[in-house]
Amino acid sequence: MANDHLTFDVHKGEIFGFLGANGAGKTTAIRILCGLSSPTSGDVNVAGFDIYRETEKIKKNIGYMSQKFSLYEDLTVSENIQLYAGIYGISAKKRKEKEAELLKKLGMGEARGKLIAGLPLGWKQKLAFSVAIFHDPKIVFLDEPTGGVDPVTRRKFWDLIYEAANNGITVFVTTHYMDEAEYCDRVSIMDAGKIEALDTPAKLKEKYQASNMDEVFLQIAR
Amino acid sequence: MIEISQISKSYEDVQALKEITLQVNEGELFGLIGPDGAGKTTLMRILMTLLLPDTGEAKMNGFDVIKDFKKIRHIVGYMPGRFSLYQDLSVEENLNFFATVFGTTVEKNYDLIRDIYYQIEPFKTRRAGKLSGGMKQKLALSCALIHKPKILVLDEPTTGVDAVSRKEFWEMLKKLQKKEITILVSTPYMDEATLCDRVALIQKGKILDVDSPRRITEKFPRKIIRARSDEMYRLINDLRAFKKAESVFAFGQYAHFTGIEDNVETTELDIYLEKLNHKNVLVEEIPPGIEDVFMSMQEQAVSSE
């Protein structure tokens, strides 16, 4: 059983950390929340839509980014943005405005016509995240967005996450970096398909008498 | 022992390694610490005789990586970053295959792998492709050890692995080190650096520093102040707006602050944050960690380009 009677709420504008060991059932749960897979039983509402009947509406209202795949390597920066904007039905005029604004913010104006394949990993990740929220979704799902990148890039990526949450986007994020768990408003920890803990990092540390989230995680998942 | 002298390597227009010189001593647990694209894999592939350097030389236990490549292949064990075992062979078949290739048997060297292999032995008839991430990792390590190598090279064995499995993996490495195997391991996790005897911090094909993790943090000259308040995002932005701020980054539940010329006092920041109505403010000076050092070196390397 990949997910065993999961029950939890994530609030608007919240950064929600979804932690668990490899094979704990995180990916299964995310696939259900994104409308890509149906639960065997149970009720789920995402962005106010029902997971069984309204999967298409859910897809319009969420963004998704994973470490493994997010952008097309053999398309340019601008072509990737065009593709995503097209899929989400954003008008050409609006897309051009937003694209210019975005590339300026990321300091990537000169890379507009470059292929994704040739960009540094840190740029790819920032761009992938920005593309995932280009259509102003209510919720964005981030599946290990920071794996393998250098410590500075990792933190700059979290600056983007904070900013998105501050703008009212709900952020649902998985990570293996326990220091990143501290950056979340609330954290859930899964083990063997069940949620073993769910609270703010401060309360979890208090409950497990731990000095950091790494210790909390080791106590629960070991 | 691994001796690397002035090794450079380029791919088309990218210089992956720039005159790397490095020595790993016999029986040492040595870490190559650096992010994606730093050149860790390229260096390891050269040492494994799978790739030729453009210039420079390297020796593994005295054998030259170009002239003596066949000899080297008998004394090294390699665990590449991507799972490279036969997916459609069973656990047991994979292990037997690697033992046979090296002219030995599983029984003969079972002692060396017992601690690792017993955990996956109950699944020995399962195909390797059907194993979970953690089990694949254990099988790959068993296969890399089955011919009793003198030098073990592990390319990011803990990337994408959860915190518990990572901890267990490092405990296994410590045990192997006691069996007189020289271990070279790469990782993007800075916290794992502290588990090595010595580390090389590597970024964009260049070595930033080589030393014991303790020495690296001890000799770091900058003053690190950490701060906490109830609102992390606002705290970081406010600290960055402080007139004498050089860099501000999130570190778990704290933000780490370095001031221009290190002349910022904790009391100054305390007063500044209280004025901005931050609640539950805590500001204190702390000794730097490996990650602080790496980030500072990285910023310096970027700004001197």
Side-chain angles (χ1 to χ4, degrees):
Chain A
M1 189 176 282
N3 285 176
D4 186 2
H5 294 88
L6 293 188
T7 298
F8 61 96
D9 293 315
V10 180
H11 313 301
K12 186 176 182 315
E14 181 175 40
I15 302 177
F16 188 83
F18 197 56
L19 312 183
N22 296 116
K26 299 190 299 288
T27 305
T28 304
I30 288 181
R31 288 180 56 83
I32 290 172
L33 295 175
C34 290
L36 297 172
S37 162
S38 286
T40 321
S41 62
D43 292 324
V44 184
N45 264 277
V46 176
F49 301 109
D50 181 83
I51 201 82
Y52 296 100
R53 291 176 291 111
E54 299 172 303
T55 51
E56 291 314 306
K57 283 186 184 152
I58 288 176
K59 285 173 193 165
K60 273 184 196 148
N61 284 284
I62 60 168
Y64 174 78
M65 172 198 169
S66 86
Q67 185 201 346
K68 291 181 191 91
F69 172 77
S70 281
L71 298 168
Y72 289 89
E73 296 265 305
D74 46 4
L75 294 183
T76 66
V77 169
S78 180
E79 285 166 346
N80 266 287
I81 295 176
Q82 276 180 52
L83 174 68
Y84 278 85
I87 288 170
Y88 288 106
I90 297 169
S91 73
K93 184 169 166 273
K94 194 166 176 219
R95 189 250 305 153
K96 276 181 196 153
E97 273 172 34
K98 282 194 85 171
E99 180 182 331
E101 195 183 308
L102 172 66
L103 294 181
K104 194 177 157 208
K105 188 183 92 183
L106 297 177
M108 288 170 56
E110 283 171 30
R112 194 177 170 271
K114 288 198 177 141
L115 292 183
I116 295 296
L119 297 182
L121 186 69
W123 288 29
K124 281 187 205 174
Q125 279 177 320
K126 281 192 228 170
L127 189 66
F129 178 69
S130 305
V131 166
I133 58 169
F134 198 77
H135 59 295
D136 298 316
K138 294 195 172 112
I139 304 171
V140 63
F141 292 91
L142 308 172
D143 197 358
E144 286 181 42
T146 54
V149 297
D150 67 72
V152 173
T153 305
R154 204 152 68 78
R155 286 171 174 82
K156 288 186 175 159
F157 189 86
W158 270 89
D159 287 345
L160 292 180
I161 293 181
Y162 277 129
E163 191 190 311
N166 211 42
N167 291 337
I169 297 178
T170 304
V171 180
F172 192 97
V173 58
T174 72
T175 180
H176 287 313
Y177 290 96
M178 288 304 125
D179 59 332
E180 294 185 350
E182 310 264 7
Y183 309 157
C184 301
D185 295 317
R186 284 192 307 151
V187 165
S188 78
I189 301 177
M190 269 187 92
D191 189 35
K194 289 187 179 172
I195 289 183
E196 295 294 337
L198 198 173
D199 216 325
T200 64
K203 292 233 176 81
L204 287 176
K205 281 182 279 186
E206 199 182 299
K207 184 176 169 196
Y208 290 90
Q209 300 188 336
S211 62
N212 56 45
M213 283 303 293
D214 196 31
E215 287 172 23
V216 173
F217 186 81
L218 289 175
Q219 281 188 42
I220 291 172
R222 197 159 209 178
Chain B
M1 185 157 90
I2 306 173
E3 296 154 283
I4 302 163
S5 168
Q6 299 284 315
I7 289 271
S8 292
K9 176 74 186 175
S10 295
Y11 301 109
E12 289 173 24
D13 53 346
V14 185
Q15 199 175 1
L17 295 174
K18 296 167 193 164
E19 297 180 355
I20 299 276
T21 297
L22 192 65
Q23 184 170 319
V24 178
N25 301 321
E26 188 111 31
E28 197 168 34
L29 175 52
F30 191 96
L32 274 182
I33 317 289
D36 261 22
K40 308 187 297 288
T41 300
T42 299
L43 184 60
M44 287 185 161
R45 290 177 59 86
I46 288 172
L47 298 178
M48 286 300 99
T49 73
L50 299 171
L51 199 64
L52 293 172
D54 296 338
T55 55
E57 57 174 45
K59 286 181 177 160
M60 302 287 275
N61 276 12
F63 296 126
D64 184 273
V65 288
I66 300 172
K67 289 201 303 275
D68 308 316
F69 72 93
K70 281 191 179 163
K71 285 179 188 147
I72 289 179
R73 289 179 187 181
H74 283 281
I75 59 157
V76 296
Y78 177 43
M79 190 170 149
R82 268 180 51 186
F83 184 69
S84 307
L85 302 180
Y86 295 94
Q87 310 260 6
D88 44 4
L89 292 186
S90 71
V91 166
E92 197 175 30
E93 285 165 344
N94 266 294
L95 195 60
N96 277 322
F97 173 81
F98 283 95
T100 312
V101 165
F102 284 104
T104 182
T105 60
V106 174
E107 293 73 38
K108 212 169 154 189
N109 293 320
Y110 190 77
D111 262 5
L112 191 60
I113 63 163
R114 179 176 17 206
D115 285 346
I116 304 153
Y117 189 63
Y118 90 93
Q119 298 176 57
I120 49 172
E121 214 163 10
F123 311 97
K124 63 184 179 186
T125 55
R126 192 180 289 188
R127 287 186 186 188
K130 299 277 179 210
L131 296 175
S132 74
M135 294 205 291
K136 277 182 180 167
Q137 188 199 35
K138 285 176 185 121
L139 177 60
L141 183 59
S142 302
C143 289
L145 285 169
I146 198 61
H147 59 294
K148 223 176 174 180
K150 302 236 173 12
I151 302 175
L152 183 63
V153 175
L154 310 161
D155 193 359
E156 296 203 10
T158 54
T159 293
V161 173
D162 67 70
V164 175
S165 306
R166 275 171 54 197
K167 215 179 173 103
E168 286 173 1
F169 195 82
W170 278 92
E171 284 164 8
M172 289 191 282
L173 291 189
K174 289 272 179 200
K175 278 191 191 164
L176 286 173
Q177 191 191 7
K178 292 203 181 92
K179 293 176 179 162
E180 285 161 12
I181 297 175
T182 305
I183 303 173
L184 176 66
V185 56
S186 67
T187 177
Y189 292 98
M190 302 290 143
D191 56 335
E192 294 182 345
T194 53
L195 304 168
C196 301
D197 298 326
R198 285 194 308 144
V199 295
L201 303 183
I202 177 168
Q203 162 94 358
K204 290 186 182 163
K206 272 196 221 159
I207 289 187
L208 303 175
D209 198 6
V210 183
D211 217 325
S212 71
R214 218 187 64 181
R215 285 271 307 147
I216 283 184
T217 51
E218 272 175 6
K219 69 191 181 192
F220 186 65
R222 301 300 305 272
K223 175 167 157 184
I224 307 277
I225 296 173
R226 71 175 185 187
R228 194 178 71 190
S229 96
D230 282 351
E231 296 166 85
M232 188 61 155
Y233 181 56
R234 195 160 75 87
L235 175 76
I236 289 173
N237 284 334
D238 287 344
L239 285 175
R240 282 185 183 149
F242 186 71
K243 59 185 185 304
K244 287 192 280 181
E246 187 179 278
S247 78
V248 178
F249 287 111
F251 270 76
Q253 54 192 319
Y254 298 95
H256 284 195
F257 173 99
T258 37
I260 294 165
E261 290 165 8
D262 290 333
N263 64 0
V264 177
E265 297 302 324
T266 52
T267 45
E268 276 179 81
L269 281 182
D270 221 345
I271 294 164
Y272 171 73
L273 292 173
E274 296 280 357
K275 255 188 202 154
L276 291 165
N277 291 319
H278 277 280
K279 298 278 178 307
N280 288 318
V281 173
L282 178 76
V283 181
E284 59 190 354
E285 192 179 337
I286 50 155
I290 285 273
E291 201 153 8
D292 291 304
V293 179
F294 190 92
M295 286 170 68
S296 169
M297 285 179 171
Q298 191 186 343
E299 298 271 88
Q300 272 171 24
V302 170
S303 62
S304 68
E305 263 170 16

